[in-house]
Amino acid sequence: MAADREISSSPFAGELFLTLATEGRLVVDTARANEVIEGLERTLSLARARLRVLKIWQHVPAQRVDDLPRELADDVVDAVFADQLAPGRLEQAVEELPKYIEALRQARRKVAPGDIA
């Protein structure tokens, strides 16, 4: 029962998507796959940037937001707040999103009208 809770509490299924794509059981229209890949790549870029800000902040000896430029202070507050709400999820997202991207790259194909994808 505890293992079931662990599995269901994870919001990511990168390995599953990769497996389905590799086996040919995940098929996505090329145009739609490209749109989703583009969105996931933007999300991954933002997650990596937020993670960099968080890691830098965690290594600053005197953590004073008031000493930072306004734009950087906002980024630090956002990153720290997100990490407090869901500790470790940002790192997990940075690990998992590339799996979704790769799965979609493998799964994309042209779907003829009337085909079920």
Side-chain angles (χ1 to χ4, degrees), residues 24-84:
R25 297 189 308 162
L26 176 64
V27 179
V28 182
D29 172 73
T30 298
R32 182 68 182 129
N34 289 342
E35 289 174 25
V36 175
I37 289 168
E38 185 178 313
L40 288 172
E41 286 174 338
R42 279 194 307 272
T43 301
L44 179 58
S45 178
L46 291 170
R48 284 178 173 156
R50 183 174 273 182
L51 187 57
R52 274 192 303 276
V53 167
L54 183 61
K55 288 185 184 241
I56 290 168
W57 180 250
Q58 290 170 342
H59 291 94
V60 171
Q63 296 175 332
R64 291 185 37 89
V65 175
D66 293 338
D67 294 340
L68 299 173
R70 173 87 179 158
E71 299 80 25
L72 184 55
D74 290 345
D75 290 343
V76 167
V77 169
D78 287 346
V80 169
F81 184 69
D83 190 55
Q84 288 177 343

Side-chain angles (χ1 to χ4, degrees), residues 11-12 14 18 74 94 104-105:
F12 299 102
L18 277 171
D74 290 345
V94 168
L104 284 165
R105 285 186 177 134

Side-chain angles (χ1 to χ4, degrees), residues 1-10 89:
M1 188 59 113
D4 289 341
R5 271 180 270 156
E6 272 183 42
I7 291 170
S8 64
S9 68
S10 177
R89 293 291 186 173

Side-chain angles (χ1 to χ4, degrees), residues 83-113:
D83 190 55
Q84 288 177 343
L85 287 177
R89 293 291 186 173
L90 197 52
E91 292 91 345
Q92 192 178 12
V94 168
E95 275 184 38
E96 290 291 315
L97 286 172
K99 295 174 187 176
Y100 286 94
I101 293 167
E102 179 56 30
L104 284 165
R105 285 186 177 134
Q106 289 180 28
R108 63 184 159 189
R109 74 168 183 134
K110 297 222 183 284
V111 178

